[in-house]
Amino acid sequence: MKPYSPEISPVFATTIAPTSERSPIATPATERKGRLNKETEDIKAALEAGDLSGAAYVAHKSDELLKKTELNIAITGESGAGKSSFLNALRGLGDEDKDSAKTGVVETTKKPEPYKHFKYPNVIFWDLPGIGTPDFKPDTYLEQVKFDRYDFFIILASERFRANHARLAQEIRRMEKKFYFVRSKVDFDLYNEKRKQNFDEEKTLDKIRNDCIEHLSKEGISSPKVFLVSSREFQKYDSPKLQKKLLKELESHKKHIFLLALPNLSKPILEKKKKALQRQIWKQALKSCAIAAVPLPALSVKCDIGILVDNMRQYCESFGLDDISLHALASQVGKSVAELKDVIKSPLAKDISKETAKEQLTKATGKGLILAKHFISMIPVAGTIFAAERSFTVTYRMLNSFLDDVAEDAQRVLIKDTIKNRLLSSKTPT
Ligand SMILES: Nc1nc2c(ncn2[C@@H]2O[C@H](COP(=O)(O)OP(=O)(O)OP(=O)(O)O)[C@@H](O)[C@H]2O)c(=O)[nH]1
Ligand SMILES: [Mg+2]
């Protein structure tokens, strides 16, 4: 049974363009894969049949599925390799922040410990105990940590990779799971090497990487890939490459939630986030105009403002424009929250209300409603159908413009943070 039954406006029924006239984006069958493709096709079919409530229902179900999708990431390696610190960095937290995993110079993690992402609780990072400790022998380790619940493993080593790591990788492969090798604490290696004459950072990093690869190859791992990372300077070295690789290998729903949960420490991640959220906007605008839409007479728009508020908050949180993220970033880069807020022009997540959404809608309305051709083609499926419908157009434009603003703010925060880090990287690790 379909829960929504808004009346379909006659304009929807008359503006369906023949398939041959639609933009390439409006026929996504060749471009999208898996479940997302099926959802888009279902929405398209419902819209073509003039069933607006059916289309909105599929969009709503698609969101529900995303919310339910779980991603379980296992961080493993020997005791003291920096697993808990790495996990904190991947969650956008420092070791001292509230809810961060405990770290320390003595053995700290004694059983698999789940850490939900503080904004995306269905992204779960598992801090696993050190392999090879008295309670966790390599041959029983995977069974003990319940290997089956993880989507992939990250194997960390702070010095060279040894037989234990290779054995663990082979076992993970035997269980048909994925793993990635991360060589941690490279900031510390560079600090030590810097004392030597003729120090060259790139050459030192290559030497560490090649040494790890050589050891893993000797232990029977063919063509291993090793990512060099520092949890103290998480935006540097191979960390962006590792995040890109992990994203590439995840299926669409898991990729989406993982991407939104990643810390905002590199330009490519910010760009990917923006694109991922942009791709969802037409569905959100569709939901807003079809589900419990309420007239806003002053704007001549009919929409569900709650859906718009939820989306705006989500953009802010995903781009780190919220108190927890700003506090964590400020302490990591040695700046005050006020300094970071200085470059932010959009409201923070907690300040977004129905009033804020109405202000943004007013701005979007003020720009006039003549749609450029490229704008229509950016809206897959619904674009040609809804192009003449004011409510859809205004909400679609408003969400796009707010997302642009938030993404620009995140860029400005990143630039501020990067400048500070460039200055710090010439100093000693703490
Ligand atoms: N310089 C530097 N130190 C690090 C880094 N990562 C971790 N450390 C330090 O290394 C020590 C061990 O880090 P943890 O993250 O607790 O290591 P772990 O693998 O979780 O240890 P167990 O839970 O005991 O297995 C701590 O003192 C950390 O501060 C890094 O990237 N750079
Ligand atoms: Mg630990």
Side-chain angles (χ1 to χ4, degrees):
M1 200 181 76
K2 290 166 192 165
Y4 317 114
S5 56
E7 285 296 304
I8 185 160
S9 146
V11 78
F12 299 145
T14 54
T15 52
I16 301 174
T19 314
S20 58
E21 286 174 21
R22 294 201 194 131
S23 79
I25 305 170
T27 51
T30 52
E31 296 166 20
R32 292 199 170 181
K33 291 174 193 159
R35 281 182 291 178
L36 282 178
N37 190 28
K38 169 86 174 67
E39 286 157 8
T40 311
E41 285 301 313
D42 287 349
I43 293 172
K44 186 179 167 188
L47 288 173
E48 284 178 349
D51 180 5
L52 180 60
S53 81
Y57 182 64
V58 181
H60 168 75
K61 279 294 189 201
S62 153
D63 279 0
E64 290 293 296
L65 189 64
L66 264 184
K67 276 187 205 144
K68 275 193 213 137
T69 303
E70 247 193 33
L71 178 67
N72 287 278
I73 303 167
I75 318 287
T76 181
E78 286 178 336
S79 181
K83 301 183 295 298
S84 305
S85 307
F86 175 80
L87 179 152
N88 289 335
L90 203 52
R91 291 164 77 217
L93 294 176
D95 292 345
E96 305 294 320
D97 288 328
K98 189 174 169 279
D99 293 336
S100 63
K102 283 199 175 57
T103 61
V105 284
V106 292
E107 191 187 336
T108 312
T109 310
K110 299 214 161 125
K111 64 178 174 56
E113 206 69 69
Y115 288 90
K116 290 185 174 182
H117 193 279
F118 56 103
K119 291 179 223 164
Y120 300 93
N122 43 347
V123 179
I124 306 163
F125 301 86
W126 289 84
D127 193 5
L128 300 192
I131 183 176
T133 49
D135 292 340
F136 291 90
K137 300 280 182 249
D139 44 353
T140 53
Y141 182 81
L142 279 180
E143 295 292 341
Q144 280 176 286
V145 300
K146 301 198 170 30
F147 70 91
D148 215 22
R149 69 177 153 211
Y150 311 114
D151 289 284
F152 60 84
F153 290 76
I154 294 180
I155 307 175
L156 248 84
S158 54
E159 290 166 13
R160 45 189 61 88
F161 283 95
R162 293 179 236 273
N164 267 352
H165 301 110
R167 228 171 116 191
L168 184 59
Q170 275 150 351
E171 279 299 298
I172 296 172
R173 185 174 285 159
R174 204 168 62 79
M175 308 294 181
E176 299 183 349
K177 297 272 177 181
K178 284 191 171 146
F179 59 85
Y180 304 89
F181 289 112
V182 167
R183 167 58 162 78
S184 60
K185 305 189 193 178
V186 287
D187 60 303
F188 194 64
D189 298 88
L190 291 174
Y191 171 62
N192 286 332
E193 289 292 310
K194 261 181 197 159
R195 294 153 193 245
K196 295 182 183 167
Q197 267 186 354
N198 305 327
F199 167 75
D200 179 321
E201 180 167 310
E202 268 318 300
K203 279 190 186 147
T204 310
L205 292 172
D206 279 346
K207 208 166 124 192
I208 300 171
R209 196 179 285 110
N210 291 338
D211 182 62
C212 290
I213 291 172
E214 201 180 301
H215 273 82
L216 284 166
S217 306
K218 262 192 216 152
E219 297 296 341
I221 304 284
S222 59
S223 324
K225 255 196 157 308
V226 176
F227 299 89
L228 308 190
V229 167
S230 158
S231 301
R232 299 258 169 102
E233 298 168 285
F234 201 58
Q235 72 285 13
K236 290 179 78 181
Y237 314 114
D238 293 342
S239 174
K241 229 192 278 175
L242 171 69
Q243 292 173 40
K244 197 171 158 200
K245 175 88 177 154
L246 298 177
L247 280 172
K248 200 170 159 203
E249 300 198 352
L250 283 170
E251 63 92 2
S252 59
H253 282 69
K254 296 200 181 214
K255 186 195 297 246
H256 184 82
I257 58 167
F258 186 49
L259 174 60
L260 297 189
L262 282 175
N264 298 295
L265 292 174
S266 76
K267 210 172 159 213
I269 291 292
L270 294 184
E271 280 163 6
K272 277 183 199 294
K273 276 191 189 190
K274 186 174 160 185
K275 277 195 188 135
L277 289 167
Q278 254 170 354
R279 277 198 294 270
Q280 298 285 319
I281 288 182
W282 68 275
K283 257 196 274 176
Q284 302 306 317
L286 165 64
K287 271 173 53 183
S288 160
C289 298
I291 301 173
V294 172
L296 300 173
L299 299 169
S300 311
V301 165
K302 209 175 151 204
C303 67
D304 180 339
I305 204 128
I307 291 179
L308 303 179
V309 169
D310 286 350
N311 276 277
M312 290 164 75
R313 283 200 188 123
Q314 198 202 343
Y315 301 163
C316 287
E317 292 193 339
S318 179
F319 280 101
L321 306 189
D322 61 283
D323 282 333
I324 301 179
S325 304
L326 288 171
H327 275 100
L329 183 63
S331 68
Q332 279 164 41
V333 301
K335 278 189 169 282
S336 69
V337 174
E339 275 178 283
L340 295 179
K341 278 187 180 170
D342 253 7
V343 294
I344 299 175
K345 295 182 182 165
S346 314
L348 297 187
K350 69 171 171 28
D351 299 323
I352 291 181
S353 62
K354 289 189 173 175
E355 286 315 306
T356 331
K358 279 184 200 159
E359 276 165 31
Q360 298 288 325
L361 275 173
T362 312
K363 269 201 248 165
T365 321
K367 286 176 188 163
L369 285 175
I370 301 159
L371 294 177
K373 209 172 169 193
H374 83 273
F375 177 77
I376 298 172
S377 74
M378 275 166 63
I379 315 170
V381 186
T384 44
I385 298 167
F386 281 97
E389 168 47 35
R390 181 183 171 85
S391 296
F392 178 85
T393 310
V394 171
T395 48
Y396 178 87
R397 179 180 298 168
M398 177 274 223
L399 287 176
N400 256 299
S401 143
F402 189 71
L403 178 60
D404 280 348
D405 292 348
V406 168
E408 275 171 28
D409 280 332
Q411 287 271 13
R412 278 193 290 272
V413 172
L414 177 69
I415 291 166
K416 202 153 190 171
D417 155 31
T418 313
I419 291 167
K420 176 81 185 175
N421 270 299
R422 233 178 262 145
L423 297 173
L424 276 180
S425 66
S426 57
K427 297 188 183 152
T428 58
T430 46

